[in-house]
Amino acid sequence: MHSLFTMKGNLWKLKRQIFSTLFAPKKLKEYVEIMNNYSPALIEEIDVHSGCYEEIKMEQIARRHMVRTMSHVMYSLDTSKNEQIFSKLCHLAEVFEHPPLATSRMLTFFTAAPCLFKSLGLSSYPREFWDFFSNLTKHLLESRNELKIGREDLVSLVAQLQNGGSTKNNRTDLRESVGHIFSFFVAGIHSNLTTLSYALFQLSRHPQVQEKLRHEVDSILSGNEYVSYDDVMKMKYLEDVVNESLRMYPRGGVMFGAVILRRTCTTPYKINEKFTIPKGMDVVFPVYSLHMDPRYFPAPEEFIPERFSQQKKPSPVFMPFGKGPRTCIGMKQ
């Protein structure tokens, strides 16, 4: 699917500038308020399961919660009023998180040789992804003209571009619109769910870290019923815990079982007298290997959130959100 995450050059710059408005501080504060509306239901579901003294599958609970909040944040869609769409989104999010072997192989092929992959006309995902998100995109864009929604979300931006952006290059066709609606959803669910899962896993193994984090959260909230954006910004140890989880379990492109970061050289770059990276060459960074290198992170196999609070700024090789101009669009600047 053609989307912001696969675009290049000036087209990518134009679209990224447009969609970056979704992550302005004002919008992030709005998202926190939306999430607060769904928090009671999440807490209630956890309480019900915890009272049964049985194994709790937190990944499933978190996935359903994220599907509801992401649907509201990105699409202004209340999934409680459409159980069919909610169930399908949960199913596709799970398939994306745990893809069948054939899909995993296609994703590896795409990561290793994107140009050849494209020239062969192959698709990374099963047909059901395109069919569902194509119909969902049409439904969201058509209903947007009928519903009075007083907030700017992903759908409203896509609708503006489809109806004629400020320039010809800004305009989108249906295929690209589907790509945006699809990619922002799965990218948000996948990155957040995996990071949360690994962070909870490490907290369960390190009760002293869990207790320190709990103390920070309790002291900042001071009994408040809801969390504000400003509250989250004050939780520095929480940020350390998340960063350490991302260091040990970085998310990104996967090639031959290794997490990698790919960048394409746009102009010849001279390394030394013997070697110059030619224009068009792909440069691959082994992110996981760098994150687990003791030269940059002492005792790399140990979960130590404090390593981030002790640094004035993260190591240059810490790149869970990518590096350079194409760093993750949702990364806090």
Side-chain angles (χ1 to χ4, degrees):
M1 297 181 184
H2 197 47
S3 70
L4 179 67
F5 302 95
T6 58
M7 291 175 176
K8 298 180 180 180
N10 291 330
L11 180 60
W12 165 79
K13 287 184 179 180
L14 286 168
K15 296 300 172 68
R16 178 171 174 117
Q17 184 177 15
I18 292 170
F19 289 117
S20 62
T21 60
L22 293 171
F23 302 96
K26 181 180 179 180
K27 299 296 293 183
L28 295 177
K29 291 181 180 181
E30 178 185 310
Y31 301 157
V32 172
E33 293 178 3
I34 291 175
M35 293 175 187
N36 278 328
N37 293 331
Y38 290 95
S39 296
L42 173 64
I43 295 173
E44 182 179 352
E45 184 173 7
I46 294 175
D47 286 342
V48 169
H49 286 282
S50 62
C52 298
Y53 301 98
E54 297 178 352
E55 181 180 281
I56 302 176
K57 295 184 178 180
M58 281 302 301
E59 185 185 71
Q60 294 182 4
I61 295 175
R63 182 184 297 112
R64 290 195 295 270
H65 176 68
M66 288 182 184
V67 167
R68 292 195 186 281
T69 55
M70 283 292 294
S71 297
H72 195 151
V73 166
M74 289 290 128
Y75 310 149
S76 296
L77 181 64
D78 185 357
T79 54
S80 64
K81 298 179 180 179
N82 197 319
E83 187 63 30
Q84 184 177 5
I85 289 180
F86 174 67
S87 298
K88 189 64 176 181
L89 285 172
C90 288
H91 166 68
L92 293 179
E94 183 174 8
V95 171
F96 186 87
E97 198 68 30
H98 304 287
L101 180 59
T103 301
S104 296
R105 287 175 174 172
M106 294 298 282
L107 288 170
T108 301
F109 183 15
F110 171 75
T111 304
C115 293
L116 177 59
F117 186 91
K118 184 177 180 180
S119 65
L120 293 175
L122 300 176
S123 175
S124 305
Y125 305 102
R127 180 70 190 184
E128 66 173 326
F129 276 88
W130 167 258
D131 291 341
F132 174 78
F133 277 96
S134 178
N135 291 328
L136 178 62
T137 300
K138 293 176 183 177
H139 167 72
L140 291 172
L141 291 173
E142 291 172 358
S143 61
R144 184 52 56 100
N145 295 326
E146 302 173 3
L147 301 175
K148 294 182 179 180
I149 298 177
R151 57 183 293 266
E152 186 178 72
D153 57 9
L154 176 62
V155 179
S156 64
L157 289 180
V158 171
Q160 292 172 26
L161 293 175
Q162 201 175 62
N163 294 330
S166 57
T167 68
K168 182 178 180 181
N169 289 333
N170 278 352
R171 298 185 187 122
T172 65
D173 55 16
L174 176 61
R175 189 170 187 82
E176 183 185 325
S177 298
V178 175
H180 292 311
I181 296 296
F182 164 77
S183 60
F184 273 94
F185 177 80
V186 295
I189 296 292
H190 176 65
S191 59
N192 289 322
L193 184 59
T194 51
T195 301
L196 175 63
S197 297
Y198 284 123
L200 290 177
F201 169 67
Q202 287 295 347
L203 287 173
S204 70
R205 297 180 68 245
H206 299 83
Q208 74 283 3
V209 175
Q210 183 180 155
E211 185 58 34
K212 183 176 179 179
L213 178 59
R214 183 192 300 275
H215 175 73
E216 177 187 69
V217 173
D218 288 344
S219 62
I220 291 176
L221 294 183
S222 300
N224 294 337
E225 185 176 359
Y226 295 108
V227 182
S228 70
Y229 174 82
D230 293 333
D231 289 335
V232 176
M233 292 299 99
K234 295 175 184 176
M235 298 178 185
K236 300 303 181 183
Y237 192 62
L238 173 61
E239 184 175 358
D240 295 340
V241 170
V242 172
N243 282 337
E244 181 68 343
S245 299
L246 289 167
R247 181 192 67 81
M248 297 185 71
Y249 310 100
R251 310 309 304 165
V254 178
M255 183 166 63
F256 308 122
V259 178
I260 59 95
L261 175 67
R262 179 194 299 276
R263 290 291 183 264
T264 302
C265 186
T266 57
T267 58
Y269 186 85
K270 186 177 182 179
I271 299 293
N272 51 42
E273 295 299 329
K274 295 183 178 180
F275 182 68
T276 296
I277 302 176
K279 178 180 179 180
M281 174 178 279
D282 284 346
V283 180
V284 176
F285 301 86
V287 177
Y288 179 76
S289 297
L290 291 171
H291 283 193
M292 300 301 287
D293 192 322
R295 292 176 297 176
Y296 309 115
F297 302 99
E301 295 185 359
E302 296 183 21
F303 185 74
I304 311 174
E306 287 77 9
R307 72 170 83 240
F308 286 92
S309 59
Q310 294 166 359
Q311 299 173 342
K312 292 183 178 179
K313 59 181 180 179
S315 168
V317 301
F318 180 62
M319 51 183 78
F321 299 100
K323 281 289 183 181
R326 293 193 71 112
T327 188
C328 175
I329 191 173
M331 180 180 179
K332 178 175 71 70
Q333 301 298 326

